[in-house]
């Protein structure tokens, strides 16, 4: 996976992340260090951080996340929709989470990218730390009712917020909400047709849309990957001191954006 340009304002120094010293919003907290590799070892005790859902402690000390969708060769060969799987990394390329879609076979074939899903996110000890749930909603941008949304739970079964589509005739727009459905951030994407041979950037904005807080970038994967698979790569950037729950909500937003705008069956498109 290619990293963004070195002069990107959101990714400057990402290649040297492991050698950098990142200030933490709470100086009393010791750095958690890089995540351990998953080797099937028994669950280890988690460090405790006030206000942080268990399993998301590592998010408190980073400002960039990379989400890589695994290529599904069975889907390429058969043309049938299959469950998506992702690897979630820090900016140094170290795995911090994995994500697995849980959808039934009928829904995947009948609804395609509009299908309902549960995406289970696990840490490197295999523990289920985050769940992203999407119900069946309308898929037409011309219809302002029954728009898309996901619910994010951490720990699973405990909602911490939502990402809800806002109707707009031309641009993808979303509101990031907390558990009480109070707006925290906005997300605004480019015109849906502007996605060829380049990264597609969704700006993360303040509630009043007056300032840019971060971004979600769908990264161009090259002609082979883009032409023959629906495996997509995303980068997320946000302030280091952003509430850890809001960071988790932005991670959940990636899966909704992926399914809404980039999850296409290439075999069907070529037939």
């Amino acid at each position: 996976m290619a990293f963004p340009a070195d002069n990107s304002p959101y990714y400057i120094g990402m290649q040297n992340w492991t050698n950098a010293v990142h200030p933490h919003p709470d100086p009393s907290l010791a750095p958690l260090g890089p995540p351990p590799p998953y080797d099937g070892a028994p669950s280890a005790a988690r460090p405790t951080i006030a206000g942080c859902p268990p399993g998301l402690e590592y998010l408190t000390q980073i400002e960039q996340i990379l989400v890589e969708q695994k290529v599904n060769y069975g889907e390429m060969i058969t043309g049938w929709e299959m469950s998506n799987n992702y690897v979630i990394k820090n900016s140094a390329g170290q795995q911090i989470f994995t994500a697995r879609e849980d959808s039934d076979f009928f829904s995947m074939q009948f609804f395609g990218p509009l299908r309902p899903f549960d995406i289970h996110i696990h840490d490197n000890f295999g523990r289920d730390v985050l769940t992203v749930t999407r119900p069946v909603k309308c898929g037409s941008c011309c219809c302002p009712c029954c728009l898309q949304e996901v619910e994010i739970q951490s720990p699973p079964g405990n909602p911490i917020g939502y990402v809800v589509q806002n109707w707009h005739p031309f641009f993808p727009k979303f509101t990031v909400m907390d558990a009480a459905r109070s707006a925290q951030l906005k997300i605004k994407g480019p015109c849906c047709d502007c996605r060829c041979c380049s990264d597609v950037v969704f700006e993360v904005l303040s509630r009043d849309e007056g300032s840019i807080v971060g971004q979600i970038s769908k990264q161009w994967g090259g002609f082979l990957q883009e032409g023959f698979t629906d495996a997509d790569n995303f980068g997320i950037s946000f302030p280091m001191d952003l509430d850890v729950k809001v960071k988790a909500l932005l991670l959940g937003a990636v899966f909704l954006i992926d399914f809404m705008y980039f999850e296409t069956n290439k075999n069907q498109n070529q037939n």
Side-chain angles (χ1 to χ4, degrees):
M1 172 182 171
F3 285 98
D6 291 342
N7 60 355
S8 169
Y10 300 101
Y11 292 91
I12 291 175
M14 70 187 308
Q15 297 288 1
N16 299 320
W17 183 89
T18 53
N19 298 322
V21 177
H22 292 290
H24 196 283
D26 186 348
S28 66
L29 297 175
L32 299 179
Y38 177 55
D39 57 5
S43 176
R46 296 185 176 107
T48 301
I49 298 178
C52 178
L56 302 185
E57 293 84 3
Y58 189 74
L59 293 183
T60 63
Q61 65 174 348
I62 60 176
E63 55 191 358
Q64 297 156 353
I65 302 175
L66 304 177
V67 181
E68 298 180 2
Q69 183 179 352
K70 295 182 179 180
V71 176
N72 191 316
Y73 294 102
E75 185 173 279
M76 292 175 60
I77 294 171
T78 64
W80 295 344
E81 287 286 341
M82 297 185 181
S83 297
N84 290 351
N85 292 278
Y86 305 83
V87 178
I88 302 167
K89 302 179 179 181
N90 61 22
S91 58
Q94 297 170 317
Q95 177 180 306
I96 56 177
F97 300 114
T98 59
R100 174 183 53 83
E101 177 192 355
D102 183 10
S103 299
D104 66 79
F105 184 79
F106 172 79
S107 295
M108 287 189 288
Q109 310 316 311
F110 184 80
F111 292 104
L114 286 174
R115 62 184 179 265
F117 61 66
D118 291 322
I119 291 180
H120 300 280
I121 299 176
H122 301 87
D123 66 9
N124 284 345
F125 291 106
R127 299 172 295 202
D128 199 350
V129 298
L130 198 69
T131 300
V132 182
T133 299
R134 179 202 198 188
V136 175
K137 294 284 186 177
C138 178
S140 174
C141 64
C142 299
C143 181
C145 62
C146 201
L147 297 175
Q148 296 289 317
E149 70 172 76
V150 290
E151 178 184 85
I152 295 90
Q153 304 171 1
S154 184
N158 179 51
I160 61 171
Y162 306 85
V163 179
V164 179
Q165 180 188 12
N166 305 132
W167 184 84
H168 194 281
F170 305 112
F171 298 101
K173 298 189 72 174
F174 302 88
T175 299
V176 179
M177 302 178 174
D178 63 15
R181 289 192 176 266
S182 175
Q184 302 299 304
L185 296 172
K186 298 292 183 71
I187 300 173
K188 180 181 179 182
C191 178
C192 297
D193 294 331
C194 302
R195 59 175 81 170
C196 182
C197 301
S198 63
D199 292 354
V200 182
V201 176
F202 292 73
E203 293 180 340
V204 179
L205 308 170
S206 58
R207 282 177 290 185
D208 61 1
E209 303 186 30
S211 61
I212 298 176
V213 175
Q215 72 174 25
I216 296 172
S217 174
K218 191 276 180 185
Q219 299 170 351
W220 171 251
F223 288 103
L224 289 177
Q225 179 172 317
E226 299 288 340
F228 295 97
T229 79
D230 59 5
D232 300 310
N233 298 329
F234 291 85
I236 316 170
S237 66
F238 37 66
M240 180 79 73
D241 59 354
L242 186 67
D243 186 286
V244 65
K245 293 181 181 179
V246 180
K247 291 182 180 182
L249 297 180
L250 291 178
L251 177 57
V254 165
F255 301 110
L256 180 59
I257 289 171
D258 183 27
F259 274 80
M260 287 184 63
Y261 302 110
F262 305 105
E263 179 75 8
T264 56
N265 189 307
K266 299 301 190 299
N267 289 342
Q268 291 179 356
N269 290 346
Q270 292 170 357
N271 292 336

